[in-house]
Amino acid sequence: MKLVTVILLASLMQVSAASFGQLVTLKEKNVTLEKMFREIRQQSGYDVLLSTNKIKSTTTINANFNNATIEEVVEKIISGKELTYTIEDKTVLITPIPKSLFDKVVDYFAAVKVTGKVRDKSGSALPGVSIREKGKSNAVSTNASGDYVISVADGASLIFSYIGYKPVEISVNGKTNIDVTLEEDAGQLSDVVVTGMGTRVDKRTFTGATSNLKVGDAEIGGLPDPSRMLDGRVAGVVVQNTSGTFGTAPKIRVRGATSIYGSSK
């Protein structure tokens, strides 16, 4: 009988300890969610994960919890937002509330389809220009002809950005066609290095070797391919003809025929 009593008492103590370990106490104003999640993990052993950009870990709240349950804390965090949560295996996952079919249809017809063309000051089309809806992850790029198509909320603003050019912000306000002319940003051009891997690096922090070749110095009439103008003008760059057929792309090698990374073509 005594043994049974001891076992029951130990079980109750474990349950009580487990319940106590799931409670959170924190009283602090303007505490970031990152710190809030850290306190939840330390006090209860639960991890909190965000699967949406509608709420960020840098968002601040006024925490006034005294032995609050995990559910009470999470409800406070997502209060007033279109979010929900699930708890499984000591992990709290915060996700957006799934939209109904009706809401999706309403959003579809409420969106404004905007088309247009992006040019430079000379009137030439600019391919690869980034068009982004301000404050959203919604973004597209212009095609080879400088044309773009994007669907945005009415009243949104579009930001046009392109390396070497000044960014432009334009409000949609019901317009369905927006043509944009970008102006060159000479200061930006002088501070940015574009590498062969397609990355952009600030010139002040770039540690590699670069060569600057003006078009006027390299331009040679009668050449069908502009890449052949680089032959003999940039150190380590060799341009070889692979065929006598007109229009065939040449073979370009950088820093010799071999390199530590394999092919140097």
Side-chain angles (χ1 to χ4, degrees), residues 53 112 114 128-143 147-153 156-161:
N53 56 6
V112 178
V114 182
V129 177
S130 173
I131 301 98
R132 178 174 54 86
E133 184 179 358
K134 186 176 181 180
K136 302 287 184 64
S137 58
N138 182 25
V140 297
S141 298
T142 56
N143 59 18
D147 299 315
Y148 72 91
V149 178
I150 186 172
S151 295
V152 298
S157 295
L158 294 178
I159 299 177
F160 298 78
S161 58

Side-chain angles (χ1 to χ4, degrees), residues 119-121 126 161-167 182-185 188-189:
R119 302 180 177 90
D120 59 15
K121 293 188 68 175
L126 291 176
S161 58
Y162 191 56
I163 183 171
Y165 290 80
K166 297 178 181 178
L182 298 183
E183 296 183 3
E184 292 185 4
D185 188 349
Q188 185 179 0
L189 283 172

Side-chain angles (χ1 to χ4, degrees), residues 3-4 9 17 33 44 63 68 95 115 119 122 125 130 140 147 158 197 200 212 228 236 244 251:
L3 180 59
V4 173
L9 181 61
L33 292 185
S44 68
T95 59
T115 61
R119 302 180 177 90
S122 66
S130 173
V140 297
D147 299 315
L158 294 178
M197 282 73 73
R200 285 176 269 180
N212 187 8
R228 292 176 181 172
K251 180 188 295 182

Side-chain angles (χ1 to χ4, degrees), residues 178-232:
I178 300 177
D179 294 333
V180 177
T181 300
L182 298 183
E183 296 183 3
E184 292 185 4
D185 188 349
Q188 185 179 0
L189 283 172
S190 62
D191 292 335
V192 176
V193 174
V194 181
T195 69
M197 282 73 73
T199 57
R200 285 176 269 180
V201 184
D202 192 308
K203 186 176 181 181
R204 293 170 297 180
T205 60
F206 182 66
T207 58
T210 62
S211 297
N212 187 8
L213 185 64
K214 295 182 179 180
V215 175
D217 296 337
E219 191 171 8
I220 302 176
L223 290 180
D225 193 309
S227 59
R228 292 176 181 172
M229 300 177 187
L230 301 176
D231 191 18

Side-chain angles (χ1 to χ4, degrees), residues 58 79 101 126 140 167 175 252:
T58 54
S79 176
L101 179 60
L126 291 176
V140 297
K175 294 189 290 287
I252 303 176

